[in-house]
Amino acid sequence: MTKQASPLRSGSIIGILGTGQLGRMLSLAGAQLGFKTHIYGPEENAPASEVSWRTTTADYRDETALTHFAESVDVVTYEFENVPQETANFLSQFVPVRPPVRALDVAQDRLTEKNFLKECGLSVAGFQYIETYEDLQEVHARFDGQGIIKTRRFGYDGKGQWRMTPETDLKALLNEIDNRPAICEAFIPFDGEVSVVAARSTSGQIATFDMAENIHENHILRHSFVPTGLAESLKQQAADMARLLLTELDYVGVLTLEIFVCQDKLLINEIAPRVHNSGHWTIDACATDQFEQHMRAVAGWPLGSPNRQYDAVMTNLLGTEINHIDSLAEDEMTKIHFYGKHEAKAGRKMGHVSRLFKVGHRPDREGYKLF
């Protein structure tokens, strides 16, 4: 059980591992609470650095740089789940690391994650470890040729994933996997994809945001719709799942569950031990957003109210869509968030917008378009 930590005072320094847009938004939220942020990562001229108090540009395994970083901060958190565990373990010798390193261990490996969820009594799609051609043949037969192959580590936005069908050339697929440890998940004919963002404080207080319904295009999150319109029983079930995992992990900070809706059943797809793209709508629609909530938690503060004050549709701006900011700004209920990235590559998340609506007036997701 986590011991109650003394809350950080104004002017304290929160270290953030990772330099992307999530680190940027955490820094902005920290500044509103009176905290300085020290960003650490290998990238130069990164989005988070533009708004942070200080940046260290160094490799995640540079122990000299990590020691100086730890000496300069009061607590360490991270903006993405692929921070090397040895980095977090090293830093924890000098300064509290929140969320705990165990959360990284669970979330970084899909096989570990699935087994952990099952041990917690939570439902997931059928899965099997793949190492050899014989494993691939076995799982192809077990799942009637229908499955999703995923590398155990480092996959996101569809990277490191392959669809398996009855017609798939298994030897060619094994070559694409290229000896990387992988799992196969049974293909689930789900009705929708939702996510729930929740937080836990150092005292064990838990707060849960409303569930979001997520629409993906080319494996990249396109829209998040809030509220979802699902039955209250399913919303409560998702919140209970989050509460269970937060408690089981002795977690501090924000955690996100990505979930498949299969009629009246919920199957957990992934855990993200961090603030999440599908929670960006909270910045403009809630009394306390996910970024402020995370910084409150890691600073040892009580959590804020997650109450939703508007219905919302969050849309990612990909590549050159960021050039539409001027026209989007003409709508007084559209809130714009630019990530500070300098090159608009195809499919790259350059920013997002949230369109706000009076409660009960969210547009239907069918046929919804931003432009």
Side-chain angles (χ1 to χ4, degrees):
M1 181 69 181
T2 301
K3 295 181 180 179
Q4 174 64 52
S6 299
L8 297 185
R9 296 182 177 181
S10 177
S12 297
I13 303 170
I14 298 177
I16 300 176
L17 299 172
T19 61
Q21 66 260 24
L22 299 181
R24 179 187 180 97
M25 289 182 272
L26 285 171
S27 292
L28 292 170
Q32 289 183 318
L33 300 176
F35 299 124
K36 298 176 181 179
T37 54
H38 184 167
I39 304 298
Y40 186 105
E43 298 84 8
E44 295 184 355
N45 302 316
S49 299
E50 291 187 347
V51 299
S52 65
W53 170 71
R54 182 178 174 187
T55 297
T56 293
T57 304
D59 187 87
Y60 288 118
R61 293 177 174 82
D62 184 335
E63 292 191 355
T64 300
L66 288 170
T67 300
H68 292 315
F69 173 68
E71 291 171 346
S72 75
V73 302
D74 298 290
V75 66
V76 169
T77 189
Y78 41 87
E79 65 141 15
F80 72 119
E81 61 266 48
N82 287 322
V83 171
Q85 287 182 50
E86 54 265 43
T87 300
N89 277 319
F90 181 82
L91 290 169
S92 67
Q93 300 175 82
F94 309 100
V95 67
V97 175
R98 301 170 181 154
V101 179
R102 187 185 176 207
L104 290 178
D105 178 50
V106 169
Q108 286 182 355
D109 186 312
R110 286 190 170 95
L111 182 61
T112 302
E113 179 185 62
K114 300 294 183 188
N115 285 326
F116 171 74
L117 291 169
K118 286 186 67 177
E119 290 167 4
C120 290
L122 301 176
S123 298
V124 297
F127 65 95
Q128 184 170 320
Y129 176 55
I130 295 171
E131 187 172 21
T132 66
Y133 179 65
E134 288 71 24
D135 293 334
L136 201 52
Q137 287 179 306
E138 181 181 337
V139 79
H140 192 267
R142 175 184 171 189
F143 296 145
D144 296 324
Q146 299 285 351
I148 306 295
I149 309 295
K150 298 180 179 180
T151 55
R152 285 176 58 178
R153 292 178 176 269
F154 303 117
Y156 67 96
D157 288 347
K159 297 177 175 65
Q161 297 187 22
W162 300 266
R163 174 72 188 275
M164 183 179 69
T165 69
E167 294 75 31
T168 296
D169 183 331
L170 298 184
K171 288 188 176 179
L173 175 57
L174 192 64
N175 287 334
E176 285 193 56
I177 297 172
D178 192 28
N179 294 319
R180 286 175 287 181
I183 65 170
C184 179
E185 298 177 8
F187 180 74
I188 302 298
F190 55 82
D191 301 310
E193 296 178 83
V194 298
S195 58
V196 60
V197 177
R200 184 173 181 270
S201 71
T202 54
S203 68
Q205 177 191 6
I206 292 175
T208 305
F209 293 96
D210 279 359
M211 178 189 287
E213 182 176 8
N214 301 316
I215 307 299
H216 293 80
E217 296 177 4
N218 299 317
H219 302 288
I220 299 173
L221 181 62
R222 187 57 166 162
H223 306 292
S224 291
F225 290 82
V226 183
T228 64
L230 292 179
E232 290 300 320
S233 59
L234 289 179
K235 295 177 183 178
Q236 186 59 54
Q237 184 181 342
D240 290 344
M241 288 175 170
R243 179 179 292 272
L244 172 64
L245 292 173
L246 288 166
T247 303
E248 186 69 27
L249 290 167
D250 199 16
Y251 199 89
V252 175
V254 163
L255 175 143
T256 306
L257 298 185
E258 298 180 66
I259 301 169
F260 294 133
V261 180
C262 305
Q263 296 182 344
D264 60 349
K265 186 177 182 180
L266 301 181
L267 299 179
I268 298 180
N269 179 28
E270 290 184 356
I271 304 171
R274 56 174 171 81
V275 288
H276 196 265
N277 193 175
S278 66
H280 288 354
W281 63 272
T282 64
I283 301 173
D284 304 299
C286 292
T288 305
D289 66 70
Q290 66 167 341
F291 298 97
E292 178 183 340
Q293 199 76 293
H294 186 79
M295 297 303 260
R296 279 175 168 266
V298 301
W301 286 24
L303 301 181
S305 167
N307 288 348
R308 178 171 56 83
Q309 300 169 328
Y310 294 94
D311 289 358
V313 181
M314 188 285 301
T315 302
N316 280 320
L317 298 177
L318 306 177
T320 57
E321 290 175 352
I322 196 69
N323 298 331
H324 291 282
I325 279 183
D326 288 349
S327 61
L328 292 170
E330 294 176 2
D331 181 354
E332 63 181 7
M333 295 301 286
T334 295
K335 310 294 286 185
I336 297 168
H337 299 269
F338 176 63
Y339 295 162
K341 297 178 181 178
H342 304 296
E343 186 178 359
K345 298 178 182 178
R348 190 182 195 191
K349 296 172 185 173
M350 300 297 294
H352 76 267
V353 297
S354 289
R355 280 186 166 162
L356 304 180
F357 306 88
K358 291 181 180 179
V359 173
H361 290 77
R362 194 213 78 189
D364 192 89
R365 72 176 181 85
E366 297 300 329
Y368 178 84
K369 293 183 179 179
L370 180 65
F371 304 110

